[in-house]
Amino acid sequence: MAQAIEDYGVIGDLHTMALVGRNGSIDWLCLPRFDAPACFARLLGDEENGFWQLAPAAGGTCTRRRYRGETLVLETEWDTPEGTVRVVDAMPMRDRATDVVRVVEGVSGRVPMRMELRLRFDYGRIVPWVRRRDGLLSAVAGPDAVWLDTPASLHGERLSTVAEFEVAAGDRVPFVLTYHPSHESAPARRDAMERIRHTERFWTDWITRADYEGQWQDAVSRSLLLLKALIYAPTGGIVAAATTSLPEGIGGVRNWDYRFCWLRDATFTLQALLGTGYVKEAGAWRDWLLRAVAGDPADLQIMYGIDGTRRLAELRLDWLPGYEGSAPVRTGNAAAGQFQLDVWGEVLDGLHVARLSGLSSQAEAWDLQRALLDFLEGHWQEPDDSLWEMRGGRRHFVHSKVMAWAGLDRAVQAVERFGLEGPVDRWRALRRQVHEEVCARGFDPQRGTFTQSYGSRGLDAALLLIPQVGFLPWHDPRVAGTVEAVQRELVRDGFMLRYDPEADGGVDGLPGGEGAFLACSFWLADALHGIGRTGEARRLFERLLGLRNDLGMLSEEVDPATGRHLGNTPQAFSHVGLVNTARHLSGTHPATDAPA
C-alpha cells in the first residue's frame, strides 16, 4: 500500500514529477508529462497498479534521506546489519526523452539489494508487453514505451521485472528508465553518473539566482525549488500539484485532480517569483496566462491544462480504490466549467503585478484586459461558485465581489499610472459602486466582520485578503474585526480551515470535512502581521514551517489533530504562501505585493 503522504519526496524534470517513498519505491509517475496517465499508480491503489522499488532486500524504511545540497537530486540511505547503502534518484533535464536515473551506491559492508519494476500504464490498468531488445529491457503498451538500461541481471516474477544483487563499499549499480513513444526506435543509452551530475549542476545554478536574504533562507530556497519543479517548461504553466485524488479527508470523497493551472494562483505566484528575482519564470507564467485566457471573456475558466487546454472532462477511475480507500479517484476537473467571478479580478490583478514589475507590456495584453473588463462590468452582480469551487449552489460570495472591485481598481491604475486608454471615469464610478455594495451587504456590523456571502453567518479565510488587495487599509477597524473573527471561528488547533462546510446549511454541497488549508494559514500569518500582531504572526509561521516533511515539502492541507499531510502534493499554493509570508515577515517584499 501507499505510504503516508508526508513520507514521499519528489524528483522532476520540468515536464513531470515522480513521488519517491521512504522505502525506496516510486509510487507515482505520469509520463511523459504532469497530466498524462500514470505508469506507477500504487499511490492510489496497491502494488498491482505499478511501482518501482529499489532498496535493501530485507526491505523497510530508510534510515535517513536528504536532497543533495539545494537540488532535486534525492539521496536515500539504509543502515543494515550487513552495511550501509545509498540510492541516488534524479530526473535529468529533458532533451528528446524522459529519464529517471537511479544509482545504488555501496557505502560500507556488503548489502543484498532488490530491484522490482512493475510498470502498469493508463493509471495502473494496462500490463505492458516486455521483451529484451539491443541489450535493453523494453515495455510497450499502445503509444507508450519504457526502456530500462542496467548492468544488473534481470528476471521476471509475477509480471514484474526483478534484479537481485549485492553492493560493497565503493560499488555503483546504475538503472536508467527512459520513456519514448512506442513507434520510435530505442533511445540512446545514457551515462547515469553524468546525467546525475548534470542534474545537480542545473538545480544548483538555478537556485543561486534567488534574491532572498531573510531569516528563513533554507525554507524559502526549498519552496522555490519545488515551485520551479512544478513548472511545465514548454509553456511556463505551473501545475497546482503533481498528483490527483489524494484526499482532503482520509476515506472521504473530496478527492480532486490538481495537475492543472489555476488562475486564482496567478497574482500570488507572480509575487513569489518576482519577489525572489525569478523574472524569466514570472514572464513565462504571465505569457501562459495571456494565451490561456485569450478569446471570448465569457468563456474564461478557473483553470486550464498545462498547455492551455480548456476541456478537462472529469472521469472516475473505478479500478483504483483510492488512497487509503478514499474513493473516487478522478482525472480531469468538472470545476473548470464553474462560474467564479473572482477569476476576472485575479487575471487583471496578476497582469497589473506584471506591469508594476516592469515585465514588457504588450498592446494585445491590454486589449484582452479591456475585454475582460467589459464582461466584468456586465456580470459582477451575479452570484457565483466561489474560489473554493463550491458545489452547493451559487451565492453572492464576498471575496468574489472584492476581486471584481480589484479588477476595476487595476484598470483605473492602468490609465492613471501607465497612460493606457480606457473609460476611466466609468470604471471609477463602478469601482465605487462595488465597494459600497460589499460594505453594505457583505459586512455584519453586529459581529464586526465581513461574511462569506451576503447575509450569511459563515466566514471564509479568503476574507483575510481584503486588505492585501487594497479593498480596505490595514488600519481600518473592519479589517481587524474580520481577522479576529476568522481566527476565532475557523482556526483548528492553530491552523486555518478554508470555511466551515456546515455553515449556512452546507455551503459546499459535499459530505464530510477536510483538514486545515495551509495556504490560508499563511494568509492568517500575513494578516496578523498587517494588523500589527507581528510576534503572533511569526510564531504561526514557525509552526507552519514545522509541518513540512523532512525534505521541506508541503501538501494542500494538514490534519490538525495528527499532523498528517492531506490533499495533493507537493502543493504549489502552499509553497507560494510560504515564500510570500517569509518575504513579508522579513521586510523584503517589493511594491508589487500591494496596490498603490
Side-chain angles (χ1 to χ4, degrees):
M1 299 297 290
Q3 301 182 69
I5 295 170
E6 62 269 21
D7 283 342
Y8 287 99
V10 296
I11 53 176
D13 66 352
L14 308 186
H15 288 73
T16 189
M17 186 176 279
L19 268 64
V20 188
R22 288 180 178 272
N23 62 351
S25 180
I26 296 178
D27 289 346
W28 182 257
L29 176 61
C30 300
L31 291 174
R33 53 188 238 176
F34 290 106
D35 57 355
C39 63
F40 302 133
R42 178 158 69 174
L43 181 71
L44 301 177
D46 58 30
E47 63 180 15
E48 294 302 321
N49 301 120
F51 66 95
W52 184 15
Q53 188 161 10
L54 188 52
T61 60
C62 65
T63 307
R64 57 192 161 270
R65 61 180 179 169
R66 60 186 173 272
Y67 285 112
R68 184 179 290 178
E70 292 186 326
T71 75
L72 243 62
V73 176
L74 180 62
E75 297 182 336
T76 307
E77 294 182 355
W78 289 261
D79 293 336
T80 75
E82 297 83 8
T84 297
V85 65
R86 176 187 304 124
V87 173
V88 181
D89 290 321
M91 291 189 71
M93 297 306 105
R94 194 173 300 192
D95 42 30
R96 291 187 62 247
T98 307
D99 294 325
V100 181
V101 179
R102 314 192 76 182
V103 177
V104 181
E105 297 181 343
V107 178
S108 67
R110 190 172 188 87
V111 181
M113 297 292 293
R114 178 180 171 89
M115 186 283 299
E116 184 171 358
L117 173 66
R118 183 170 295 188
L119 284 157
R120 296 292 185 267
F121 292 104
D122 194 24
Y123 298 104
R125 189 172 64 167
I126 297 176
V127 180
W129 175 33
V130 177
R131 56 183 171 156
R132 295 181 184 276
R133 294 176 59 188
D134 303 323
L136 306 175
L137 187 84
S138 76
V140 176
D144 302 307
V146 165
W147 304 75
L148 178 65
D149 187 5
T150 179
S153 178
L154 304 173
H155 65 275
E157 283 186 17
R158 299 180 301 113
L159 297 178
S160 297
T161 298
V162 173
E164 295 173 318
F165 55 99
E166 293 184 348
V167 289
D171 287 348
R172 285 194 175 112
V173 181
F175 296 81
V176 179
L177 191 77
T178 302
Y179 174 90
H180 242 258
S182 59
H183 65 275
E184 295 185 3
S185 58
R189 304 184 84 156
R190 313 294 184 126
D191 182 322
M193 297 310 299
E194 176 55 34
R195 297 293 280 164
I196 288 176
R197 285 191 291 270
H198 179 270
T199 306
E200 186 176 0
R201 285 195 300 270
F202 172 85
W203 290 111
T204 300
D205 291 346
W206 186 84
I207 198 62
T208 57
R209 293 164 39 204
D211 181 17
Y212 172 81
E213 298 179 354
Q215 177 180 344
W216 300 283
Q217 182 75 50
D218 291 344
V220 169
S221 293
R222 180 53 55 189
S223 288
L224 289 170
L225 288 163
L226 291 166
L227 286 173
K228 174 67 171 176
L230 290 167
I231 294 175
Y232 181 59
T235 67
I238 304 174
V239 295
T243 57
T244 180
S245 301
L246 289 178
E248 296 172 5
I250 300 298
V253 301
R254 298 168 184 259
N255 319 317
W256 316 109
D257 193 348
Y258 273 27
R259 298 170 300 157
F260 307 117
C261 306
W262 265 254
L263 298 190
R264 74 174 184 202
D265 302 353
T267 300
F268 294 114
T269 302
L270 283 167
Q271 288 172 351
L273 293 171
L274 291 167
T276 51
Y278 289 105
V279 176
K280 178 181 177 182
E281 286 76 9
W285 173 230
R286 188 277 313 269
D287 291 344
W288 176 91
L289 183 64
L290 289 171
R291 293 192 303 271
V293 305
D296 187 344
D299 295 331
L300 193 67
Q301 297 183 179
I302 69 167
M303 71 183 85
Y304 295 84
I306 55 180
D307 56 3
T309 297
R310 289 174 173 264
R311 294 188 184 273
L312 306 176
E314 186 171 298
L315 303 174
R316 296 188 177 195
L317 309 186
D318 293 332
W319 62 89
L320 289 172
Y323 180 85
E324 294 191 14
S326 305
V329 172
R330 296 179 171 94
T331 63
N333 201 310
Q338 287 188 337
F339 174 57
Q340 295 183 15
L341 180 66
D342 66 289
V343 168
W344 280 261
E346 303 283 4
V347 172
L348 292 164
D349 190 27
L351 295 174
H352 175 73
V353 167
R355 270 195 301 273
L356 286 175
S357 72
L359 288 177
S360 58
S361 179
Q362 302 175 19
E364 296 84 357
W366 180 238
D367 291 341
L368 171 64
Q369 291 166 78
R370 289 283 304 270
L372 294 175
L373 285 157
D374 288 343
F375 181 88
L376 192 59
E377 286 185 75
H379 295 81
W380 73 270
Q381 291 177 306
E382 296 177 13
D384 77 314
D385 296 305
S386 135
L387 85 160
W388 302 131
E389 299 157 21
M390 303 296 194
R391 302 192 180 198
R394 293 180 177 176
R395 306 185 184 209
H396 291 283
F397 288 99
V398 169
H399 172 74
S400 298
K401 306 300 187 188
V402 167
M403 291 312 301
W405 174 92
L408 293 161
D409 177 73
R410 304 324 185 243
V412 171
Q413 291 198 50
V415 174
E416 293 177 344
R417 300 179 61 181
F418 295 92
L420 297 174
E421 296 286 335
V424 68
D425 290 337
R426 191 175 80 223
W427 290 337
R428 285 195 195 100
L430 186 55
R431 179 180 64 175
R432 182 170 58 253
Q433 181 183 349
V434 176
H435 197 282
E436 290 172 351
E437 179 180 296
V438 171
C439 290
R441 300 182 62 190
F443 184 77
D444 182 345
Q446 292 185 331
R447 291 190 291 162
T449 180
F450 286 92
T451 57
Q452 183 173 44
S453 60
Y454 289 172
S456 75
R457 295 292 299 173
L459 300 181
D460 191 318
L463 299 171
L464 298 171
L465 303 177
I466 285 174
Q468 282 207 41
V469 301
F471 185 84
L472 288 175
W474 285 106
H475 60 76
D476 191 295
R478 289 169 294 183
V479 169
T482 299
V483 173
E484 290 163 1
V486 167
Q487 184 180 28
R488 182 173 60 250
E489 297 190 21
L490 295 183
V491 166
R492 300 291 184 272
D493 295 316
F495 303 112
M496 286 290 302
L497 303 180
R498 292 186 293 177
Y499 53 87
D500 179 359
E502 302 300 322
D504 301 316
V507 66
D508 64 11
L510 293 168
E514 62 179 25
F517 199 82
L518 294 175
C520 296
S521 298
F522 287 113
W523 294 350
L524 178 59
D526 290 335
L528 291 170
H529 175 57
I531 63 173
R533 292 159 58 181
T534 299
E536 188 177 350
R538 294 175 70 91
R539 289 190 294 273
L540 173 57
F541 185 65
E542 292 287 355
R543 286 193 67 201
L544 287 164
L545 293 182
L547 297 176
R548 297 172 301 149
N549 74 358
D550 57 313
L551 296 174
M553 280 175 50
L554 290 170
S555 62
E556 180 183 31
E557 300 181 3
V558 67
D559 182 336
T562 65
R564 283 197 64 178
H565 287 196
L566 297 170
N568 288 302
T569 196
Q571 178 80 199
F573 214 25
S574 299
H575 286 283
V576 164
L578 187 157
V579 171
N580 284 334
T581 302
R583 292 169 45 246
H584 296 158
L585 294 176
S586 300
T588 60
H589 55 292
T592 53
D593 278 18

